[in-house]
Structure formats: structure tokens, C-alpha cells
Amino acid sequence: MLSDSMARSLNSHLNTEHFSAQLYLSMSSAAGVMGFKGAATWFMVQYQEEMAHFMKFYGYLNSQGVLVRFVAADIPNDYHSLLEMFEKTLTHEQHITKAINHLMDQAVQESDHASQIFLQWFITEQIEEEENDRDIIGKLKLIGDNGYGLLMLDTELGTRVFVPPATTA
Ligand code: OFO
């Protein structure tokens, strides 16, 4: 059984994962409008991953008998370059990493072992999320304004496919 405080914290983070999904779907649209079809695919896959994260929180809260509450969010969509989008993606993911760490701190403080086990998957996932973003930012900085380089990277980004997480709850 979750404490009221832990349930509130997990519900709040569920909404943050939903925000992430919408943020990356917006970026997919922005990349497509800029002509980067591969990056649009990359962000679409990121959207699918975030929806899977969101559903993990939903499934966990459901299994603990918690009524899930949703909040509406304003999603920004005003980007000028791929580099800007990926830098904002990394900043957002660093924010998510801190939020997951705070949830884990709370679960440890409350001796809430079930939530610690649930959150462990996200701790590992955030390492990969940040690493992916840093790699792409590095490449974009190397490429600069070189059109051929951007085309090659866009092709590479377009090969990303969504792999659903092994468990959904
Ligand atoms: Fe769900 O990891 Fe990104 O936000």
C-alpha cells in the first residue's frame, strides 16, 4: 500500500511523463516542418517511449488502488534548429532524472520497497536517455551548417524504431 504522499508524488510524475510525450510529439512535428523527416521519426519514437513510461506509472498506480488524476499542460512548440531541439531534450531529460531520483529518495525514506523496485527501471532508463541525447548533440555540433552532414545524420535518426519495454507495469 502506498502512503498518500507517495501516491501524490507518483501521480504528479505520471503527468510529467505525459507532458514529455506531448513535448516530443510536438518536436516531431517541428522537425518534419523543417524538412528533417528522419528526426521527425526519432522524436515520434521518443513520444512512443514516453507514452510507455506514462503507462508504466498508470499501471503501477492502478495496481496499488490509487485513483489517477490528470492535469492539462501547455506544450511549447517554437524551435529554430535540430540542435536547439536536442539541447532542450537533454535539459528536459536531466530534469526527469532529478525527478525520478527524488521519487526514489521518498520511497527509501518511507521504506516503500514496492515503489523502489518499480522506480529502479526508470533510474536505468534515464542513463540511456541522457546518453542518446548527448551523442546526437555532439554530432550536430560537429556537423554545424554542413548540409551533407545534416542529411546523413537525419537518415541515421530515421532508422530508430520503437521497442516496447519488457513489462508495462
Ligand atoms: Fe520518460 O524519460 Fe524521458 O521524459
Side-chain angles (χ1 to χ4, degrees):
M1 183 188 149
L2 297 179
S3 70
D4 288 349
S5 165
M6 194 74 220
R8 270 197 306 278
S9 299
L10 291 166
N11 193 140
S12 166
H13 193 80
L14 166 144
N15 279 289
T16 306
E17 295 288 345
H18 201 219
F19 175 93
S20 301
Q22 295 172 82
L23 180 70
Y24 296 134
L25 191 57
S26 298
M27 287 187 182
S28 176
S29 170
V33 167
M34 285 178 199
F36 294 114
K37 299 295 181 201
T41 298
W42 193 95
F43 280 113
M44 180 66 76
V45 172
Q46 190 63 29
Y47 154 77
Q48 290 173 295
E49 284 204 356
E50 299 302 346
M51 285 303 290
H53 299 172
F54 160 73
M55 287 306 296
K56 271 181 178 278
F57 275 86
Y58 182 85
Y60 181 63
L61 287 168
N62 254 342
S63 70
Q64 293 276 8
V66 174
L67 178 67
V68 169
R69 294 182 188 277
F70 297 100
V71 297
D74 246 343
I75 311 295
N77 199 354
D78 183 24
Y79 306 104
H80 303 97
S81 70
L82 276 190
L83 181 59
E84 180 192 3
M85 277 193 273
F86 279 101
E87 283 179 334
K88 285 189 171 159
T89 296
L90 177 59
T91 301
H92 181 67
E93 288 307 322
Q94 288 167 335
H95 162 75
I96 296 293
T97 300
K98 278 191 192 136
I100 295 282
N101 286 341
H102 283 140
L103 287 173
M104 181 61 101
D105 288 345
Q106 184 177 352
V108 169
Q109 251 171 25
E110 295 188 13
S111 300
D112 178 346
H113 298 276
S115 295
Q116 288 175 48
I117 291 166
F118 170 71
L119 290 166
Q120 188 60 54
W121 184 91
F122 287 90
I123 301 266
T124 308
E125 173 72 4
Q126 285 307 120
I127 296 170
E128 189 191 314
E129 296 253 349
E130 289 189 27
E131 185 185 10
N132 288 342
D133 299 337
R134 271 196 309 273
D135 282 354
I136 296 167
I137 289 167
K139 286 178 184 169
L140 281 166
K141 284 186 172 165
L142 273 177
I143 289 167
D145 286 335
N146 182 289
Y148 182 70
L150 284 170
L151 187 65
M152 295 298 289
L153 179 62
D154 191 52
T155 303
E156 182 188 324
L157 293 174
T159 62
R160 187 180 187 196
V161 290
F162 175 59
V163 180
T167 55
T168 53

